[in-house]
Amino acid sequence: ARAFFSIEMFLLPIFLGAGLQFMFYGLSIAWLSAAVGLTGLYMMQQNKMAYIDSLVDVYNRQYLTHTLTAWERRGSKFAGVMADIDHFKQINDQFGHSEGDRALVVVTNILKNSRKDNEWVFRFAGDEFIILKLSDSADGLAPYMQEVRKRLDQYNHTNPSYPINLSYGESFYDHGDIDALI
């Protein structure tokens, strides 16, 4: 599922308005349709900036809340994982915050590149991430986490500076309190 429209989608009102203006000479709506298209594009960009973490380019906590609320309202069942980078403070203290940011980007890329079947990655806070997947079973994210561990091992074999490891906990939601899931 796509959270945001592509830019091409906002060309539709412009082309539609230009086509109508061409068909009905004297009807001046091309500029109006251009304004509608550009306004829609601007609003989509604002929504994207509100829901995407700018450092690591995944959904943020605000969009997590939005997603959980929508899934709860629909009565969806889903598996969840909360992951935390081990010894992240030491990376920041020893190598600097810029290197800490790079470690966050590395972990995020591993989490994103491990996705196969509609897993959603959210940055919860600091060095914590939440991964969700609509699933009827508690082990819905087990194959995903195996892939994450494999990719982390590969990264750690090629990065001599410091290892990156994750601690994580798994949970399953079929009804009840969303806060208990987290």
Side-chain angles (χ1 to χ4, degrees):
R2 293 182 62 144
F4 306 105
F5 294 113
S6 64
I7 288 182
E8 294 83 19
M9 183 68 175
F10 296 103
L11 295 175
L12 183 66
I14 296 170
F15 288 134
L16 184 63
L20 286 172
Q21 185 169 336
F22 179 74
M23 289 172 44
F24 302 103
Y25 184 75
L27 182 65
S28 180
I29 60 171
W31 287 109
L32 175 64
S33 62
V36 168
L38 290 173
T39 301
L41 179 63
Y42 178 74
M43 289 172 57
M44 188 272 305
Q45 287 295 96
Q46 292 296 315
N47 281 339
K48 187 174 180 182
M49 288 173 24
Y51 289 137
I52 301 290
D53 186 285
S54 62
L55 175 64
V56 294
D57 195 35
V58 293
Y59 296 119
N60 62 18
R61 188 173 184 169
Q62 184 174 352
Y63 197 69
L64 170 69
T65 302
H66 171 77
T67 301
L68 289 173
T69 303
W71 288 3
E72 181 183 32
R73 239 183 282 128
R74 286 192 308 232
S76 301
K77 297 177 182 179
F78 52 91
V81 168
M82 179 178 259
D84 180 91
I85 301 174
D86 293 344
H87 312 293
F88 183 69
K89 184 177 179 344
Q90 288 178 338
I91 296 171
N92 276 336
D93 290 347
Q94 188 173 356
F95 298 100
H97 288 274
S98 293
E99 189 62 32
D101 288 349
R102 278 191 280 285
L104 284 170
V105 170
V106 165
V107 168
T108 304
N109 286 335
I110 288 171
L111 293 174
K112 289 191 318 188
N113 293 332
S114 298
R115 294 180 297 183
K116 289 189 179 96
D117 297 321
N118 213 14
E119 291 94 0
W120 296 57
V121 178
F122 302 87
R123 184 172 178 199
F124 186 68
D127 64 327
E128 297 171 334
F129 296 87
I130 290 183
I131 301 94
L132 298 176
K133 179 180 181 175
L134 291 170
S135 176
D136 288 330
S137 67
D139 61 349
L141 282 168
Y144 171 83
M145 291 311 294
Q146 288 174 340
E147 182 67 21
V148 168
R149 284 190 299 272
K150 183 180 98 178
R151 289 175 186 259
L152 274 173
D153 288 342
Q154 290 171 348
Y155 174 81
N156 287 333
H157 287 304
T158 61
N159 183 22
S161 300
Y162 53 87
I164 296 179
N165 295 300
L166 295 177
S167 295
Y168 63 92
E170 300 177 14
S171 188
F172 181 70
Y173 178 87
D174 61 356
H175 70 283
D177 185 22
I178 290 288
D179 289 331
L181 170 82
I182 295 175

